[in-house]
Amino acid sequence: MLDFIKPERQNWRHYFGGFGLLVLAVQFLTGLVLVFFYEPDLKTAYKSVQYLTNVVTGGSLARNLHRWVAFSVFLAIIVHTIRTTVRLEFLRPQKRLEWLTGVLLVPVLFLLLTTGLILPWEWKGYWLMEMVPNYFAALPVVGPALKGFFLESFTLPRYLAIHILILPVIGLVLIDYHFLVKLRKRGIFRYMLRHMAVTLPFLIAVVVLATSVTIPSNDPEMIPFPLEGEYIPEPEWYVLTLLLPFYYFKGAAVPFLSIVLPLTLLLLFAFLPY
């Protein structure tokens, strides 16, 4: 009776693409909650986020789910991209369009993550907006012009429009070409049930993290640096965990803990077994 939701393959690592789709649906729903309370103004943006988190019923859960799901989507897409590349699916004529649209989805998701971090306009959003133009400024020839463009064109309403309208529309078009066209013929409902059965533990883990490791929403007496303070590194600063060995270790332990070990675990997690 439950055969229609039984995974076709026992290897759960084959289901990261479907997991990405499921958590994107959760991301869309929580984003709807956030956009109803967010005020895109430099003076009131973080106050509106604090109101949602500390006053609105269910607001804290919605915000923390939105942040942890963003981390989960990015991780799932990275693993899914590695596995499809290793399988050389881009060499198969019937898979080339899917692979190309999948590759184009990666920068869209990265831009969604970046704009989403800036929008709350707390201290981390401010410093991220400082860092991104500086990174572009390091590019030869076009770097200074790009930095000037980002700084001069920045407003919270524009970034909000990019985050909730422009990038999602582009993403939906790419997702449709990526696999929804085929799924409409095969049955989207059946596909979702199959992947729900496999990825349910991951979804439960996201909910647990969203309720147990919450994002601080009170104004601290002293603004901390990104690697200081309670709950640091936070979900959106997970990439900074690679910098922690530089703070606490010396010598050969630093490259091993910050590069070799994470890369080895990622490759094992993405490649094995097929």
Side-chain angles (χ1 to χ4, degrees), residues 62-267:
R63 184 188 176 206
N64 283 283
L65 274 175
H66 199 71
R67 292 294 183 91
W68 275 109
V69 166
F71 165 75
S72 303
V73 169
F74 201 69
L75 180 62
I77 295 305
I78 288 176
V79 175
H80 179 63
T81 302
I82 292 175
R83 292 184 62 81
T84 55
T85 304
V86 170
R87 293 193 197 108
L88 301 179
E89 291 189 352
F90 54 90
L91 296 179
R92 299 166 58 186
Q94 65 273 27
K95 288 283 188 177
R96 285 177 183 171
L97 179 60
E98 294 179 25
W99 194 84
L100 176 61
T101 52
V103 170
L104 293 175
L105 270 171
V106 173
V108 172
L109 293 174
F110 179 76
L111 289 173
L112 279 168
L113 181 65
T114 304
T115 53
L117 294 177
I118 294 173
L119 284 176
W121 204 241
E122 78 280 53
W123 62 274
K124 286 171 298 186
Y126 172 82
W127 284 114
L128 184 64
M129 188 59 206
E130 285 279 331
M131 289 187 294
V132 171
N134 288 335
Y135 289 150
F136 281 103
L139 296 174
V141 184
V142 297
L146 283 175
K147 178 181 179 179
F149 171 77
F150 277 104
L151 292 177
E152 293 168 5
S153 63
F154 168 73
T155 66
L156 287 181
R158 287 173 184 164
Y159 272 47
L160 179 64
I162 292 172
H163 186 74
I164 69 173
L165 181 61
I166 297 175
L167 291 176
V169 169
I170 296 173
L172 285 174
V173 172
L174 291 173
I175 289 173
D176 188 62
Y177 278 100
H178 188 58
F179 62 94
L180 289 183
V181 172
K182 292 184 178 180
L183 282 187
R184 281 195 286 269
K185 299 176 182 178
R186 294 163 47 190
I188 295 179
F189 182 68
R190 178 178 177 176
Y191 174 89
M192 298 290 282
L193 285 178
R194 285 179 182 274
H195 285 74
M196 180 70 76
V198 177
T199 60
L200 186 59
F202 294 96
L203 295 174
I204 294 174
V206 169
V207 175
V208 171
L209 288 170
T211 54
S212 60
V213 185
T214 58
I215 305 167
S217 57
N218 297 319
D219 293 316
E221 295 181 3
M222 182 177 295
I223 302 297
F225 288 102
L227 291 177
E228 296 179 354
E230 191 178 9
Y231 300 136
I232 301 296
E234 294 174 17
E236 62 271 23
W237 286 97
Y238 61 92
V239 293
L240 293 182
T241 57
L242 300 179
L243 300 179
L244 291 178
F246 290 91
Y247 284 79
Y248 300 107
F249 298 93
K250 295 181 179 180
V254 174
F256 175 77
L257 293 174
S258 61
I259 300 175
V260 178
L261 182 60
L263 183 61
T264 301
L265 292 175
L266 177 62
L267 293 178

Side-chain angles (χ1 to χ4, degrees), residues 30 34 37 40 42 48 52 96 98 102 146 215 220 236 248 274:
T30 55
L34 269 61
F37 293 91
L42 294 177
S48 67
L52 169 70
R96 285 177 183 171
E98 294 179 25
L146 283 175
I215 305 167
E236 62 271 23
Y248 300 107
Y274 279 100

